[in-house]
Amino acid sequence: MLIYKALKFVLFLCFLFISVLFQAQENCTNAIDDDGDGFIDLNDSDCECVENENLIPNGDFEQYEELPSGPEQIHLATNWINPTNSYDIHFARASYHHWDAFTQIPAYPYPSGKGVVSTQSKLTSLANGGDQTYVDFYKDFFGINLDQALTPGNTYIFSFFIYRLNQNDNVDWPQLDIGLYGKNGNLRNFDLDYARYPDFHEDWSELTRVPFYPKHEWQKLSMEFTVEEDITAIIIGLASGIPYTYYETFGTKILAYDNVSIQKKSEDFILEASGAACSENLRLSAVSLGDFIPTSYQWYQDGVAMVGQTQASLNITDDMPEAYYSVRAMSSTGCRNSQAFPYILSDIEFKYKMEVNDQAGSVRLYDIWNQSDYTYSIDNINYQAQPVFNNVDVGEGVIYVKNHLNCIVKEVPYAIFKIYNVITPNNDGMNDTWYIGGLQHYPDTKVSIYDQLGVQRYTHTIPENSSEFAWDGTNKGRPLASGEYWYLIEVNDGRTIRGSLTIKRN
């Protein structure tokens, strides 16, 4: 009898252990936090499909030289570097965050273990006669030297968790971008100027940027990228292009990071986008390549399962929220988690400068905010990543600018001027005016005519919303005499065009 009771007790303990064990496992496909750790589905590290190693050493900040005792101690996280000599880059361990940023809004539990880092970016000011004039702002970054170089010819996935840390701040922030910068060389502490973005420094370039809306919760973000040269050191932080007005309106930006990763992309499973959000036909499709053959799919919105969405494709409709959409494919040999597609409508206007070379027949746009998710075309058919067009025909045209959702966000008119050097203003209907097509698109452009002695005989400034420019060879209604003249065109984009003009009246 005692043996029977003992056996029943042992069986009860086994049942209890198995129940707890199953309760502690994340399901990954049901939009529920099964294990109660605060992270749902793909946001839980239990749901990772581990295919390739993380190329960032200590990307989860779990290895440390000693516990942090205060701020400014990112160097205590093994391998990590403070590249800007900033006092606002922090390393924290659970129960060891002794500064305002982490005591204002507790971010624990963390996505991975007990270690995280945080950065601040903020305006600085100088007193000027009692007034505070903004003159610059801190740009905090954290960096590391890689054990293995990123190499051209491969596609990589940059991913991380991020959390907004601002006390008593319930204002919705606008879109921000997190930048990943790299160089072929060694990174040391205090290498960079805190007041400049890394790509302003020699040898550093932007590898990719990830758009997001900061929230008081952990978000998992990711983006694919390639490199043009070997990259042996990286820096992470807010990307360039944030207007000063953002800081004036929304104040200091404090962000925490965890589980930072760069992985080489597997080539046997990808996510493809077709159509366009603005045409309401954006479609995401899971594409299997090589030997990986999926038997089932599950789609996710910001890492949380979209219950019932289990097909190989997903239509993004205009009633769906802005979010990161991804798909998980399962097969008899394992699983694959796709790259997340950012269905985010940027509220940062595309601002540009344009450079036109009439002699070379080239047109180039300069994106002032240095965004990297635009493509460009001059025929609205063939799009390219670089905003440079060579061997462009003389005349007027338009550069079409599309965002990552395949929507045209800007149409930029340009003109490569063909300037004739003879006019015959005799009212015979042929060459009666000096016509320069496209000049009306350049308000404040100044056109001047000089005689052989250098005396100005005519001048005109192109107004806003002007009609086409055509000069009839007169000045204030009086015809200029036949002869040789010189013209000077000072275009508002910086071009200065000079040449000769002959007026023939007979």
Side-chain angles (χ1 to χ4, degrees), residues 128-197:
N128 183 11
D131 295 328
Q132 294 292 316
T133 303
Y134 291 122
V135 295
D136 219 324
F137 57 96
Y138 288 104
K139 307 172 183 66
D140 288 349
F141 300 89
F142 55 103
I144 200 167
N145 291 302
L146 303 176
D147 292 336
Q148 177 182 334
L150 310 181
T151 56
N154 294 308
T155 299
Y156 297 93
I157 299 176
F158 171 50
S159 65
F160 55 93
F161 284 85
I162 194 164
Y163 190 103
R164 169 181 162 186
L165 286 169
N166 285 70
Q167 183 183 27
N168 302 324
D169 179 2
N170 295 317
V171 178
D172 290 336
W173 282 1
Q175 176 192 318
L176 295 174
D177 291 352
I178 298 299
L180 173 67
Y181 302 86
K183 80 166 185 175
N184 186 3
N186 191 52
L187 173 64
R188 298 168 299 180
N189 282 307
F190 317 147
D191 262 0
L192 307 184
D193 178 0
Y194 73 86
R196 293 186 177 274
Y197 291 101

Side-chain angles (χ1 to χ4, degrees), residues 3-21:
I3 295 175
Y4 174 72
K5 289 184 177 180
L7 181 60
K8 285 180 63 177
F9 181 69
V10 171
L11 290 174
F12 171 76
L13 290 178
C14 290
F15 174 78
L16 182 63
F17 174 77
I18 292 172
S19 299
V20 172
L21 178 65

Side-chain angles (χ1 to χ4, degrees), residues 37-230:
D37 65 354
F39 300 99
I40 301 174
D41 296 339
L42 298 189
N43 297 310
D44 195 313
S45 58
D46 294 340
C47 295
E48 293 182 357
C49 295
V50 180
E51 305 160 51
N52 297 307
E53 65 174 324
N54 184 3
L55 300 177
I56 299 179
N58 196 24
D60 57 5
F61 310 105
E62 292 306 298
Q63 301 174 40
Y64 56 93
E65 305 306 312
E66 59 182 84
L67 288 171
S69 57
E72 310 166 39
Q73 295 184 345
I74 191 174
H75 62 281
L76 295 182
T78 303
N79 296 320
W80 287 98
I81 291 171
N82 180 349
T84 57
N85 194 20
S86 170
Y87 57 82
D88 287 324
I89 305 175
H90 308 309
F91 166 54
R93 296 282 300 172
S95 302
Y96 284 91
H97 28 79
H98 299 289
W99 60 93
D100 290 343
F102 279 88
T103 55
Q104 291 169 356
I105 304 177
Y108 192 77
Y110 305 147
S112 178
K114 297 183 178 181
V116 293
V117 299
S118 78
T119 64
Q120 294 189 35
S121 294
K122 59 186 178 183
L123 285 169
T124 60
S125 60
L126 290 179
N128 183 11
D131 295 328
Q132 294 292 316
T133 303
Y134 291 122
V135 295
D136 219 324
F137 57 96
Y138 288 104
K139 307 172 183 66
D140 288 349
F141 300 89
F142 55 103
I144 200 167
N145 291 302
L146 303 176
D147 292 336
Q148 177 182 334
L150 310 181
T151 56
N154 294 308
T155 299
Y156 297 93
I157 299 176
F158 171 50
S159 65
F160 55 93
F161 284 85
I162 194 164
Y163 190 103
R164 169 181 162 186
L165 286 169
N166 285 70
Q167 183 183 27
N168 302 324
D169 179 2
N170 295 317
V171 178
D172 290 336
W173 282 1
Q175 176 192 318
L176 295 174
D177 291 352
I178 298 299
L180 173 67
Y181 302 86
K183 80 166 185 175
N184 186 3
N186 191 52
L187 173 64
R188 298 168 299 180
N189 282 307
F190 317 147
D191 262 0
L192 307 184
D193 178 0
Y194 73 86
R196 293 186 177 274
Y197 291 101
D199 53 350
F200 278 89
H201 297 78
E202 186 177 1
D203 299 331
W204 285 94
S205 61
E206 181 182 304
L207 304 179
T208 190
R209 60 173 61 203
V210 187
F212 77 111
Y213 287 95
K215 301 177 183 179
H216 293 308
E217 62 186 47
W218 285 107
Q219 301 178 71
K220 185 176 182 179
L221 307 177
S222 62
M223 186 67 71
E224 292 182 7
F225 70 99
T226 58
V227 297
E228 298 180 355
E229 63 173 346
D230 286 0

Side-chain angles (χ1 to χ4, degrees), residues 358 394-397 414-420 434-442 468-470 495:
D358 296 272
V394 169
E396 299 175 67
Y414 70 87
I416 294 182
F417 303 124
K418 182 172 179 60
I419 303 174
Y420 297 93
W434 189 45
Y435 167 76
I436 305 177
L439 204 61
Q440 72 272 16
H441 298 309
Y442 297 83
E468 293 182 338
F469 174 80
R495 280 182 285 174

Side-chain angles (χ1 to χ4, degrees), residues 173-178 197 209-214 238-246 250 253 322 344-352 367-374 401-404 409-410:
W173 282 1
Q175 176 192 318
L176 295 174
D177 291 352
I178 298 299
Y197 291 101
R209 60 173 61 203
V210 187
F212 77 111
Y213 287 95
L238 285 176
S240 59
I242 302 174
Y244 276 63
T245 52
Y246 278 31
F250 300 101
K253 300 182 177 0
E322 294 185 36
I344 294 178
L345 305 174
S346 174
D347 55 8
I348 299 179
E349 181 184 358
F350 177 78
K351 292 184 176 295
Y352 66 92
D367 175 13
I368 293 176
W369 295 139
N370 194 29
Q371 305 293 297
S372 61
D373 56 356
Y374 295 113
V401 184
K402 280 187 175 182
N403 63 12
H404 69 288
V409 296
K410 202 79 171 181

